[in-house]
Short mmCIF file of all heavy atoms in Angstrom, two decimals:
data_model
loop_
_atom_site.label_atom_id
_atom_site.label_comp_id
_atom_site.label_asym_id
_atom_site.label_seq_id
_atom_site.Cartn_x
_atom_site.Cartn_y
_atom_site.Cartn_z
N PRO A 177 -160.06 33.05 122.96
CA PRO A 177 -160.07 31.84 122.11
C PRO A 177 -161.41 31.14 122.03
O PRO A 177 -161.77 30.60 120.99
CB PRO A 177 -159.00 30.96 122.76
CG PRO A 177 -158.82 31.48 124.14
CD PRO A 177 -159.09 32.94 124.07
N GLY A 178 -162.18 31.15 123.12
CA GLY A 178 -163.47 30.47 123.10
C GLY A 178 -164.46 31.09 122.14
O GLY A 178 -165.36 30.41 121.63
N ASN A 179 -164.30 32.38 121.87
CA ASN A 179 -165.18 33.10 120.95
C ASN A 179 -164.52 33.42 119.62
O ASN A 179 -165.17 33.96 118.72
CB ASN A 179 -165.63 34.41 121.60
CG ASN A 179 -166.36 34.21 122.91
OD1 ASN A 179 -165.73 34.00 123.94
ND2 ASN A 179 -167.67 34.27 122.88
N LYS A 180 -163.21 33.10 119.51
CA LYS A 180 -162.44 33.43 118.30
C LYS A 180 -162.49 34.92 117.98
O LYS A 180 -162.62 35.33 116.84
CB LYS A 180 -162.95 32.61 117.09
CG LYS A 180 -162.81 31.09 117.27
CD LYS A 180 -161.35 30.67 117.31
CE LYS A 180 -161.19 29.16 117.31
NZ LYS A 180 -161.68 28.52 118.53
N ILE A 181 -162.41 35.73 119.05
CA ILE A 181 -162.45 37.19 118.90
C ILE A 181 -161.06 37.76 119.19
O ILE A 181 -160.47 37.46 120.23
CB ILE A 181 -163.48 37.82 119.85
CG1 ILE A 181 -164.91 37.42 119.44
CG2 ILE A 181 -163.35 39.34 119.85
CD1 ILE A 181 -165.97 37.91 120.39
N LEU A 182 -160.57 38.58 118.27
CA LEU A 182 -159.31 39.30 118.49
C LEU A 182 -159.63 40.78 118.64
O LEU A 182 -160.19 41.40 117.74
CB LEU A 182 -158.35 39.11 117.31
CG LEU A 182 -157.05 39.92 117.42
CD1 LEU A 182 -156.11 39.28 118.45
CD2 LEU A 182 -156.35 40.04 116.07
N PHE A 183 -159.25 41.34 119.78
CA PHE A 183 -159.31 42.79 119.93
C PHE A 183 -157.92 43.31 119.58
O PHE A 183 -156.97 43.18 120.33
CB PHE A 183 -159.69 43.20 121.36
CG PHE A 183 -159.89 44.68 121.48
CD1 PHE A 183 -161.12 45.26 121.16
CD2 PHE A 183 -158.85 45.51 121.88
CE1 PHE A 183 -161.30 46.63 121.26
CE2 PHE A 183 -159.03 46.87 121.98
CZ PHE A 183 -160.25 47.44 121.67
N GLY A 184 -157.83 43.90 118.38
CA GLY A 184 -156.54 44.38 117.90
C GLY A 184 -156.25 45.80 118.32
O GLY A 184 -155.09 46.23 118.32
N GLY A 185 -157.29 46.54 118.70
CA GLY A 185 -157.09 47.92 119.08
C GLY A 185 -156.49 48.74 117.95
O GLY A 185 -156.67 48.42 116.77
N CYS A 186 -155.74 49.76 118.29
CA CYS A 186 -155.19 50.67 117.28
C CYS A 186 -154.05 50.06 116.47
O CYS A 186 -153.59 50.69 115.51
CB CYS A 186 -154.74 51.97 117.94
SG CYS A 186 -156.10 52.92 118.64
N LEU A 187 -153.62 48.87 116.84
CA LEU A 187 -152.65 48.15 116.01
C LEU A 187 -153.28 47.75 114.68
O LEU A 187 -152.58 47.59 113.67
CB LEU A 187 -152.16 46.90 116.76
CG LEU A 187 -151.15 46.00 116.03
CD1 LEU A 187 -149.82 46.72 115.84
CD2 LEU A 187 -150.94 44.70 116.82
N VAL A 188 -154.61 47.59 114.67
CA VAL A 188 -155.34 47.12 113.49
C VAL A 188 -156.22 48.23 112.94
O VAL A 188 -156.92 48.92 113.68
CB VAL A 188 -156.21 45.89 113.85
CG1 VAL A 188 -157.01 45.43 112.64
CG2 VAL A 188 -155.34 44.76 114.39
N LYS A 189 -156.19 48.41 111.63
CA LYS A 189 -156.98 49.44 110.96
C LYS A 189 -158.25 48.83 110.35
O LYS A 189 -158.24 47.69 109.90
CB LYS A 189 -156.17 50.12 109.86
CG LYS A 189 -154.83 50.69 110.30
CD LYS A 189 -154.98 51.73 111.39
CE LYS A 189 -155.68 52.97 110.88
NZ LYS A 189 -155.75 54.02 111.95
N SER A 190 -159.32 49.61 110.33
CA SER A 190 -160.57 49.17 109.71
C SER A 190 -160.43 49.20 108.19
O SER A 190 -159.54 49.85 107.64
CB SER A 190 -161.73 50.07 110.14
OG SER A 190 -161.51 51.39 109.70
N MET A 191 -161.35 48.53 107.50
CA MET A 191 -161.26 48.43 106.04
C MET A 191 -161.45 49.77 105.35
O MET A 191 -160.96 49.96 104.23
CB MET A 191 -162.30 47.43 105.53
CG MET A 191 -161.97 45.97 105.83
SD MET A 191 -160.37 45.46 105.17
CE MET A 191 -160.66 45.60 103.41
N ASP A 192 -162.15 50.70 105.99
CA ASP A 192 -162.35 51.99 105.34
C ASP A 192 -161.22 52.98 105.62
O ASP A 192 -161.26 54.12 105.16
CB ASP A 192 -163.70 52.60 105.74
CG ASP A 192 -163.81 52.86 107.24
OD1 ASP A 192 -162.89 52.45 107.99
OD2 ASP A 192 -164.81 53.46 107.67
N SER A 193 -160.20 52.53 106.34
CA SER A 193 -159.04 53.39 106.60
C SER A 193 -158.20 53.53 105.34
O SER A 193 -157.80 52.54 104.73
CB SER A 193 -158.19 52.82 107.73
OG SER A 193 -158.90 52.77 108.94
N LYS A 194 -157.91 54.76 104.97
CA LYS A 194 -157.08 55.03 103.79
C LYS A 194 -155.62 55.21 104.15
O LYS A 194 -154.76 55.25 103.27
CB LYS A 194 -157.58 56.29 103.07
CG LYS A 194 -159.06 56.25 102.71
CD LYS A 194 -159.41 55.05 101.85
CE LYS A 194 -160.91 55.08 101.50
NZ LYS A 194 -161.30 53.85 100.73
N GLY A 195 -155.35 55.35 105.43
CA GLY A 195 -153.97 55.51 105.90
C GLY A 195 -153.86 54.99 107.32
O GLY A 195 -154.82 54.45 107.88
N LEU A 196 -152.70 55.18 107.91
CA LEU A 196 -152.43 54.64 109.24
C LEU A 196 -152.86 55.56 110.37
O LEU A 196 -152.74 55.20 111.54
CB LEU A 196 -150.94 54.32 109.37
CG LEU A 196 -150.41 53.19 108.47
CD1 LEU A 196 -148.90 53.06 108.60
CD2 LEU A 196 -151.09 51.86 108.82
N GLY A 197 -153.37 56.74 110.03
CA GLY A 197 -153.86 57.63 111.07
C GLY A 197 -152.75 58.32 111.84
O GLY A 197 -151.72 58.69 111.28
N ASN A 198 -152.94 58.48 113.13
CA ASN A 198 -152.00 59.18 114.00
C ASN A 198 -150.67 58.41 114.10
O ASN A 198 -150.62 57.31 114.62
CB ASN A 198 -152.62 59.34 115.39
CG ASN A 198 -151.66 59.99 116.38
OD1 ASN A 198 -150.68 60.63 116.00
ND2 ASN A 198 -151.96 59.83 117.65
N LEU A 199 -149.62 59.02 113.59
CA LEU A 199 -148.30 58.36 113.59
C LEU A 199 -147.33 59.00 114.58
O LEU A 199 -146.13 58.70 114.56
CB LEU A 199 -147.68 58.43 112.18
CG LEU A 199 -148.44 57.68 111.07
CD1 LEU A 199 -147.73 57.87 109.73
CD2 LEU A 199 -148.58 56.21 111.39
N SER A 200 -147.85 59.84 115.48
CA SER A 200 -146.98 60.56 116.40
C SER A 200 -146.16 59.65 117.30
O SER A 200 -145.03 59.98 117.67
CB SER A 200 -147.79 61.54 117.24
OG SER A 200 -148.77 60.84 118.01
#
Side-chain angles (χ1 to χ4, degrees):
N179 301 79
K180 298 293 187 293
I181 293 175
L182 176 75
F183 186 85
C186 294
L187 179 67
V188 178
K189 306 300 293 183
S190 63
M191 288 303 295
D192 61 354
S193 297
K194 306 303 181 184
L196 294 174
N198 177 19
L199 297 179
S200 60

